[in-house]
Amino acid sequence: MNLSAQQISQDFKALGDPIIAEHSQRFFKTAEGQYGHGDIFLGIRVPTIRKQVKKYRGITLNEVKKLLKSPFHEIRLCALLILVNLFAKGDDTEKSEIYATYLKNTRHINNWDLVDLSAHHIVGAYLERRNKKPLYVLARSASLWERRISVIATFYLINNNDFVDALKIAHILKNDPEDLIHKAVGWMLREIGKRNQTVEERYLKKQYKHMPRTMLRYAIERFPKSRRNAYLEGRI
């Protein structure tokens, strides 16, 4: 029997925990005026969601698309993790369809965990050997989440020691108004440094005095204390 989005949604509603849900509502900033405003949580931890995902290997892409439009955060996360698995196992045609589905549904990929657990596995992986223009379109989007997707997608490239686009996007977003973008860019700069500190510092020496403090702190988090202080005090 084919798995349906309705059946999976029922499974998830049965797994929900009101106490966890209440905590998640606060943690993911769902109050009015906050970045996650309006999101609804069932109260299911990520490890539990991952266990459920393993049970849904027979689901079709059309049913996953329905899950991705769920009002419940955890069900959307489930859909994204299924897409990641389908993409990894798919042929070129299937990968293209999943990539297209992802970008058509960014309005439903609307919190940092949803982006961070999926963007590099799908968008970054798909664009690795293709024109990177879509990353730059996303980086200049009015949507906070599309801008974060552009940054996190470069993680796939960074893992393959390709830093060019990550650094260019970092520069585009250097003065972004959102703290969540500052954190994401700083994180990717740190990841570059873990693989090649010379490349990271070459960028930082030119830009660190002009970037948000949060971005800089994330970027230099793994540096020796004396080196961190030198950057924070403007002595580099």
Side-chain angles (χ1 to χ4, degrees):
M1 183 175 67
N2 290 330
L3 288 162
S4 72
Q6 183 178 4
Q7 289 170 329
I8 293 172
S9 296
Q10 289 172 351
D11 290 347
F12 268 68
K13 289 173 185 177
L15 290 168
D17 182 320
I19 295 175
I20 296 174
E22 184 179 354
H23 174 267
S24 296
Q25 297 282 156
R26 294 194 303 271
F27 183 75
F28 286 100
K29 308 296 184 184
T30 62
E32 186 173 356
Q34 296 182 312
Y35 60 73
H37 177 235
D39 207 352
I40 305 171
F41 287 77
L42 291 167
I44 308 170
R45 304 288 191 196
V46 174
T48 302
I49 296 171
R50 288 191 181 278
K51 287 180 182 177
Q52 292 300 115
V53 167
K54 291 178 181 178
K55 299 178 182 179
Y56 303 144
R57 289 175 179 162
I59 191 170
T60 65
L61 183 56
N62 282 337
E63 292 302 305
V64 180
K65 290 177 183 178
K66 295 175 186 176
L67 291 175
L68 193 51
K69 296 175 182 178
S70 171
F72 297 105
H73 185 101
E74 293 94 338
I75 294 176
R76 298 199 306 282
L77 177 54
C78 174
L80 290 166
L81 293 176
I82 291 171
L83 286 179
V84 168
N85 289 345
L86 290 174
F87 184 94
K89 298 171 183 176
D91 58 26
D92 287 346
T93 300
E94 291 165 333
K95 288 179 189 293
S96 293
E97 188 175 2
I98 292 166
Y99 168 78
T101 296
Y102 193 93
L103 291 189
K104 286 177 183 176
N105 287 279
T106 54
R107 66 188 179 279
H108 304 298
I109 308 169
N110 57 351
N111 217 309
W112 57 264
D113 63 320
L114 303 180
V115 173
D116 294 1
L117 291 171
S118 62
H120 54 305
H121 294 299
I122 295 174
V123 179
Y126 184 79
L127 295 176
E128 182 189 19
R129 293 182 176 85
R130 293 177 173 86
N131 189 304
K132 306 300 189 297
K133 183 179 178 180
L135 292 180
Y136 295 88
V137 173
L138 291 166
R140 293 181 171 90
S141 170
S143 164
L144 159 63
W145 305 118
E146 290 191 348
R147 298 199 305 278
R148 187 158 177 124
I149 287 169
S150 77
V151 181
I152 302 302
T154 67
F155 197 5
Y156 189 92
L157 308 178
I158 292 168
N159 274 329
N160 289 289
N161 294 306
D162 179 356
F163 312 132
V164 174
D165 295 288
L167 292 171
K168 288 180 179 178
I169 287 172
H171 194 65
I172 291 170
L173 295 172
K174 180 165 56 77
N175 296 313
D176 195 276
E178 296 287 348
D179 191 59
L180 281 173
I181 299 299
H182 304 167
K183 292 176 179 178
V185 172
W187 173 19
M188 290 304 105
L189 291 173
R190 184 173 75 238
E191 292 298 331
I192 291 172
K194 284 163 66 174
R195 293 154 181 81
N196 190 322
Q197 189 166 332
T198 299
V199 171
E200 182 190 6
E201 290 216 58
R202 187 184 301 136
Y203 178 82
L204 287 177
K205 285 174 183 177
K206 293 179 181 178
Q207 303 297 337
Y208 83 98
K209 290 184 178 180
H210 310 291
M211 64 173 55
R213 202 69 165 174
T214 297
M215 188 182 295
L216 177 60
R217 286 186 179 277
Y218 269 62
I220 63 175
E221 189 176 86
R222 294 174 64 90
F223 287 11
K225 185 177 180 180
S226 60
R227 192 69 173 164
R228 290 201 310 272
N229 289 340
Y231 273 103
L232 293 171
E233 295 165 10
R235 294 187 284 105
I236 297 295

